[in-house]
Amino acid sequence: MTLVCNLLLIYSLVVLARIVLSFFDVPSDHPVGRVRHALSLVVDPVLRPIRAVLPPVRLGSVGLDLSPLILFLAISLLRSFLC
C-alpha cells in the first residue's frame, strides 16, 4: 500500500507542476517548454476524459480549464482514503 501512496503523491506533484508550468508561455525548444511537454504527455491522457465532461468556465473572454484542479482534488481524496 505504501507504493501506491507514494505513486499517487508523485503523480499529484506532476499534476501540480503541470498546472504551474502552464502559466508560462515559452517556446517548445526552451528547457521549460520541454519539461512542460513531458509533463503534458504524462498528465493529459488522464485530463482528456475530465475535459470531455467538464467544459471550461467562461470568465469574460477567457476560458478557465478546471480539469487539472479536479484531477488534483481527486488524487488527494484517493490518497486520503487509501493512505
Side-chain angles (χ1 to χ4, degrees), residues 10-62:
I10 291 169
Y11 197 75
S12 66
L13 292 175
V14 168
V15 171
L16 185 62
R18 168 75 167 90
I19 292 169
V20 170
L21 289 180
S22 69
F23 291 110
F24 298 103
D25 188 26
V26 294
S28 60
D29 60 342
H30 191 275
V32 174
R34 291 182 189 147
V35 170
R36 186 176 60 192
H37 178 70
L39 293 175
S40 295
L41 291 176
V42 174
V43 175
D44 282 355
V46 180
L47 289 177
R48 277 189 212 108
I50 300 171
R51 286 180 179 146
V53 174
L54 182 71
V57 175
R58 286 298 202 208
L59 298 172
S61 62
V62 177

Side-chain angles (χ1 to χ4, degrees), residues 1-13 71-83:
M1 193 57 82
T2 304
L3 177 65
V4 172
C5 293
N6 288 337
L7 288 174
L8 286 172
L9 175 64
I10 291 169
Y11 197 75
S12 66
L13 292 175
L71 177 60
F72 188 75
L73 289 173
I75 293 170
S76 297
L77 286 173
L78 188 60
R79 282 190 70 235
S80 67
F81 180 72
L82 293 177
C83 306

